[in-house]
Amino acid sequence: MKDSIKVFAPATVANVVCGYDVLGFAVNEPGDEVIMKLTGGSGITITKITGDEGKLPLDPKKNTVSASVQHYLNHIGKPDTGVEIELHKKMPIGSGLGSSSASTVAGLFAINTLFDNLLTNRGLVPFAMKGEELACGYGHADNVAPALMGGFVLIRSYEPLDIISLPYPEGLHAAIVYPEVDVPTKDARQMIRSKVLLKDAVTQWGNVAGLVSGLFMKDHDLIGRSMTDILIEPTRSILIPDFYHMRGMAMEAGATGFGISGSGPSVFALTRDRETAESITVQLKKHLSTLNINSLSFVSEVNQKGPVVLD
Ligand code: HSE
């Protein structure tokens, strides 16, 4: 049995516009890295966090990585295992790209690998959801499930947990732009209305079903026209600079659909190919710079692997 490991876990685009808390996919970059050592002693220590500008807690009870690793250790009947964790944030916090989820998933994948894969990646999802609960008050799975399992996933049900891996058309790319304004998921969840009108629910579930059908049918147009959110986006888009203008630019440049990634402020477009995705990121970044807003961008296919061991 190895006693140390370095792993990478990917960022994710949750919601995919119409599927609040039920749809998400993983991307190849960015992502976070965790280095984990079994010490032979007792208890979890976070020895180092880089790339977080001092924002994340080193207290193992408050940090999502250590807290979910502790849940895992309790579950396998080894609660006092001595573990040292280094977390290297390679992606912005509060970006809407599943930042806390990438860290948590990296930690869980690391400990499970050190324990010779006692659980499957799918089996780790409930432990990662505990991390999300700590990070934003609710244990949603639409970031952690794709980060752990790779691919495009549907959370068909939370109780009981029922996660479906979805197919997607060849060539599908995501163009992601992160405008550097902070939108904590906790706040972005609190601003949403908790009640919806039946006629709005009808529109929304039509679009969710349309998006899932489009993925199965490998129909980019159906995917695109289903990427409509009448429940959440009208409220959350207020927090994103020039959101509707950026949507217009992306659609004009050939996007099949456009929306908020997770709880924002990152936005993303789906495209049929890499060239279109690259051109969209260049145009959106340029537009944001005219508003004096710095941004980061990423172009990726759907990540199929989920977390991986680096060494
Ligand atoms: N489904 C979650 C939300 C994703 O929209 O709050 C958070 O990244």
Side-chain angles (χ1 to χ4, degrees):
M1 183 164 138
K2 274 177 84 164
D3 64 4
S4 81
I5 196 168
K6 181 176 180 183
V7 311
F8 165 88
T12 39
V13 172
N15 300 336
V16 201
V17 183
C18 53
Y20 178 70
D21 280 358
V22 301
L23 287 172
F25 64 87
V27 290
N28 291 330
E29 57 158 353
D32 283 346
E33 288 174 16
V34 157
I35 299 172
M36 186 174 283
K37 289 192 186 96
L38 297 179
T39 62
S42 162
I44 303 180
T45 319
I46 300 182
T47 51
K48 193 191 236 184
I49 303 180
T50 64
D52 70 327
E53 295 163 0
K55 289 183 188 162
L56 297 178
L58 284 159
D59 177 345
K61 287 198 177 63
K62 294 189 181 147
N63 187 288
T64 62
V65 183
S66 41
S68 42
V69 167
Q70 186 65 59
H71 280 295
Y72 172 91
L73 292 172
N74 297 348
H75 175 81
I76 64 165
K78 298 187 186 293
D80 300 322
T81 306
V83 182
E84 280 180 4
I85 298 172
E86 271 182 35
L87 170 60
H88 298 284
K89 295 290 308 170
K90 306 267 174 165
M91 58 189 287
I93 295 169
S95 56
L97 293 171
S99 178
S100 61
S101 142
S103 304
T104 304
V105 163
L108 282 167
F109 184 72
I111 192 75
N112 192 46
T113 308
L114 290 174
F115 277 98
D116 292 332
N117 299 305
L118 285 176
L119 299 185
T120 61
N121 284 11
R122 183 184 286 260
L124 293 174
V125 173
F127 301 94
M129 288 168 66
K130 293 270 186 203
E132 293 295 72
E133 197 177 330
L134 189 61
C136 76
Y138 181 73
H140 59 94
D142 51 339
N143 292 113
V144 292
L148 271 164
M149 294 161 58
F152 214 123
V153 304
L154 165 69
I155 321 300
R156 204 274 312 159
S157 152
Y158 274 86
E159 287 178 20
L161 197 58
D162 187 6
I163 303 168
I164 320 292
S165 288
L166 301 171
Y168 48 88
E170 214 177 298
L172 186 75
H173 277 75
I176 299 171
V177 175
Y178 164 55
E180 292 187 7
V181 293
D182 200 20
V183 177
T185 298
K186 201 171 187 169
D187 300 350
R189 290 184 77 85
Q190 278 166 357
M191 69 191 291
I192 299 169
R193 282 175 297 149
S194 59
K195 290 193 175 147
V196 301
L197 293 174
L198 182 60
K199 75 174 178 48
D200 290 346
V202 170
T203 303
Q204 197 82 3
W205 62 52
N207 281 318
V208 174
L211 177 45
V212 172
S213 303
L215 291 167
F216 270 94
M217 293 160 72
K218 310 201 184 313
D219 181 337
H220 289 276
D221 290 331
L222 176 56
I223 291 169
R225 67 179 186 274
S226 305
M227 285 170 66
T228 304
D229 171 15
I230 62 163
L231 298 182
I232 317 289
E233 184 182 281
T235 310
R236 280 186 171 169
S237 57
I238 296 163
L239 301 176
I240 298 170
D242 246 1
F243 176 79
Y244 290 102
H245 187 81
M246 288 198 286
R247 164 183 283 162
M249 289 178 72
M251 297 310 287
E252 183 77 12
T256 46
F258 178 88
I260 304 171
S261 174
S263 55
S266 290
V267 291
F268 78 105
L270 289 185
T271 65
R272 289 174 171 78
D273 54 55
R274 176 168 287 272
E275 292 69 41
T276 311
E278 276 167 358
S279 144
I280 289 170
T281 57
V282 170
Q283 292 182 47
L284 295 189
K285 273 180 77 68
K286 204 167 152 194
H287 178 68
L288 287 166
S289 73
T290 65
L291 304 174
N292 292 321
I293 297 170
N294 286 333
S295 59
L296 295 174
S297 67
F298 308 93
V299 169
S300 176
E301 291 176 299
V302 176
N303 168 308
Q304 297 184 31
K305 290 190 192 146
V308 287
V309 175
L310 295 178
D311 34 66

